[in-house]
Amino acid sequence: MPRVLTARAVADLVAPALAAESSGPAYGRLTEALRHLIADGRLPEGSRLPSERDLPGPLGLSRTTVTRAYTELRAQGYLHTRRGSGSVVQVPDVPGGRIDHLLTPSALSDGAIDLTCTAAGAPGGTSEAYGQALEELGAYLPGTGYYPGGLPVLREVVAERFTARGLATTPDQVIVAPGALAGVAIAARALLAPRGRVLVETPTYPNAIATLEGAGARTVAHPIEHAHDDWDVAGLGRTLRQSGARVAYLIPDFHNPTGALMPAGQRAEIGRMLRAAGVVPIIDESIVDLPLDGQVVPEPLGRHVPDAITVGSVSKSLWGGLRVGWLRVPRGRAADMAASRLKLDLGVPVLEQLVAARMLQAAPEVLPQQQARLRAGRDVLLAGLREHLPDWRVRVPSGGMALWCALPRPGSTALATAARAYDVALAAGPNFAAGGGLDGWVRLPYVLGHDQLEQVAPRLAQAWADVLAGRVSAGRDDRRGLQPVEPRIIA
């Protein structure tokens, strides 16, 4: 069932563009406003627009104006109308763009810059943690080594961390998994019926979309406001009521890719909405430990939804090589989650669990290192963009690992192709789109060393100049003959 957008909701979205001073006929301005909202993912693919009879009133325009705008959108491939089904949003195909939501870097040469992955190197003290874990390992060797739910020591540490943040948790509510993405898979398989609907933000983490769809889910996109920390609470409520989704996947803490941090007030309000709609959220807290400006992160969203599943890991905040994550589950769902966990594997390696426990215990000393490294990298990358690409718009994130940049015009996919000629691997915006669009956005991680980050903006400026000059299309660099490559899964 397509999501139905009310005439008032659409009118509110296009009002700023219609109110702005601009030349041209009214139908042209309405066409451009709607096209921009579709390309930006704020009118998700598959949504049904109001009829040509219902929309004119809230817009204060004539029916003829709305009809001409719809006609233009159909001709451009942004709208499909069928008798009895109304006018449904669609996104024109972008050659080489979104490929099963998996990020697609090219083969990299020496000296190339890989901006497809948001993962930092291991912090100081990692080797020492491994040494300590090796000393502890002997006590576990007489046993089988199978701990599907996780080592007690690690579950205790994780439970204590949740409790300290305001979400009371006991070790029996923690299930250890090989990363947060595995936690999402475990939860999705336990919660979703075949072809069940799951609400996801757009943009969002590409591999989470692939994981949810791999579990048989049908995703329902909820656009978030890219320029502000705004989850559009009213719009979320409408989507929950109309979509029939019974599960939601949300990233409230330094959202990937926008870096947005959900305010405390919104957490309480969204929690009420989820409870009222009977929707179980899978809350991804993978980046919760990475505030960069000294701010206090609000209490967990899971505190406002007793039935929530919260997933986390050490991969982003500490080191991806550990491959240790977890689920925090309500007691009423513990049996279902445990059964789903056993369908994945028989447990995370004992040594890595011991290392993770050690590093989490040392987090007050270790995390400031990571935060300082990321803060410095963020500032280096921002300075480069201001100098070399001043017309790119970016809201400075207060945490996380990447910038989410708005390009002056759509062309993210073409930019990813062009950038390979300058030895830069990018993830184009459509990879992050749950509802289509986002070719006007690009994610730029600041996890690399300063020497590499200082080269990012100059190289991208050259690539962007090639795009603007028409030397590069979405799927091919006409000057160099480069072609898209096969996808591989990365962070």
Side-chain angles (χ1 to χ4, degrees):
M1 180 181 67
R3 173 183 174 188
V4 180
L5 299 168
T6 66
R8 171 49 54 194
V10 173
D12 289 343
L13 287 171
V14 301
L18 295 180
E21 294 185 8
S22 95
S23 58
Y27 84 86
R29 289 185 283 120
L30 178 59
T31 300
E32 179 61 20
L34 290 170
R35 187 200 64 77
H36 179 76
L37 289 167
I38 294 169
D40 206 27
R42 298 184 66 195
L43 291 178
E45 189 170 24
S47 300
R48 190 168 70 198
L49 291 183
S51 71
E52 297 166 26
R53 179 185 65 253
D54 294 337
L55 187 57
L59 287 177
L61 298 173
S62 70
R63 181 170 178 176
T64 300
T65 297
V66 174
T67 297
R68 290 194 65 179
Y70 276 27
T71 300
E72 287 290 322
L73 290 170
R74 292 186 198 103
Q76 296 172 18
Y78 287 93
L79 206 60
H80 174 71
T81 302
R82 186 169 57 189
R83 185 177 297 276
S85 300
S87 296
V88 177
V89 171
Q90 63 183 18
V91 178
D93 290 336
V94 180
R98 192 176 80 189
I99 304 176
D100 294 336
H101 296 284
L102 303 182
L103 307 187
T104 57
S106 61
L108 300 179
S109 60
D110 291 341
I113 300 173
D114 185 356
L115 296 178
T116 62
C117 186
T118 53
T126 303
S127 295
E128 290 80 356
Y130 268 93
Q132 293 166 348
L134 280 171
E135 294 178 1
E136 298 169 359
L137 183 62
Y140 295 86
L141 296 179
T144 65
Y146 291 134
Y147 293 90
L151 292 184
V153 62
L154 179 57
R155 298 169 78 178
E156 289 171 5
V157 171
V158 173
E160 289 169 0
R161 286 168 57 83
F162 274 116
T163 300
R165 292 176 49 227
L167 181 58
T169 303
T170 55
D172 62 311
Q173 292 180 268
V174 176
I175 298 174
V176 177
L181 196 60
V184 173
I186 291 166
R189 290 169 183 171
L191 294 171
L192 288 165
R195 302 290 293 161
R197 294 184 176 91
V198 55
L199 181 145
V200 298
E201 302 145 332
T202 187
T204 193
Y205 178 40
N207 288 341
I209 300 175
T211 296
L212 292 167
E213 291 178 346
R218 289 184 290 172
T219 57
V220 177
H222 168 62
I224 67 172
E225 172 55 54
H226 310 309
H228 308 91
D229 293 355
D230 180 12
W231 264 256
D232 182 14
V233 177
L236 176 60
R238 288 192 296 269
T239 303
L240 289 173
R241 290 192 298 272
Q242 295 178 1
S243 67
R246 299 270 61 88
V247 176
Y249 171 77
L250 304 173
I251 312 175
D253 303 294
F254 308 119
H255 176 270
N256 185 1
T258 69
L261 178 64
M262 186 183 289
Q266 282 192 353
R267 293 177 189 234
E269 191 170 357
I270 288 174
R272 287 194 294 271
M273 286 182 173
L274 292 167
R275 296 196 309 271
V279 173
V280 179
I282 302 172
I283 302 166
D284 191 337
E285 289 191 341
S286 298
I287 316 181
V288 69
D289 286 325
L290 295 177
L292 302 184
D293 296 325
Q295 72 275 42
V296 176
V297 178
E299 62 191 11
L301 176 58
R303 181 171 180 179
H304 301 284
V305 192
D307 207 26
I309 310 296
T310 302
V311 301
S313 81
V314 298
S315 297
K316 300 297 186 183
S317 58
L318 296 175
W319 187 44
L322 279 173
R323 307 311 312 140
V324 175
W326 53 81
L327 302 85
R328 189 268 182 196
V329 304
R331 287 190 175 84
R333 295 192 180 273
D336 289 342
M337 293 297 154
S340 181
R341 171 70 181 88
L342 285 170
K343 295 176 183 177
L344 181 67
D345 59 32
L346 293 178
V348 176
V350 171
L351 180 62
E352 276 62 34
Q353 292 191 65
L354 291 172
V355 175
R358 281 287 186 177
M359 295 189 73
L360 287 173
Q361 289 169 333
E365 295 76 40
V366 173
L367 287 176
Q369 301 175 37
Q370 296 291 70
Q371 293 160 355
R373 183 195 305 182
L374 291 169
R375 182 166 54 247
R378 177 194 65 180
D379 296 345
V380 168
L381 187 52
L382 283 168
L385 292 176
R386 292 187 184 111
E387 179 180 356
H388 297 280
L389 292 161
D391 55 345
W392 288 21
R393 292 182 293 109
V394 58
R395 175 179 53 78
V396 180
S398 61
M401 311 180 83
L403 304 179
W404 183 238
C405 304
L407 306 178
R409 44 157 276 195
S412 174
T413 306
L415 176 64
T417 300
R420 288 189 285 118
Y422 300 96
D423 284 331
V424 178
L426 285 177
N431 286 289
F432 300 86
L438 298 181
D439 198 45
W441 297 81
V442 65
R443 186 187 73 172
L444 301 180
Y446 40 80
V447 297
L448 302 175
H450 289 191
D451 290 346
Q452 286 189 297
L453 289 174
E454 287 171 350
Q455 300 177 51
V456 168
R459 295 193 192 188
L460 290 184
Q462 292 176 288
W464 185 238
D466 287 347
V467 173
L468 295 180
R471 292 189 287 270
V472 181
S473 62
R476 178 183 179 89
D477 184 329
D478 297 321
R479 186 187 49 177
R480 301 172 187 264
L482 295 176
Q483 294 291 336
V485 296
E486 291 300 314
R488 63 183 172 91
I489 301 174
I490 55 173

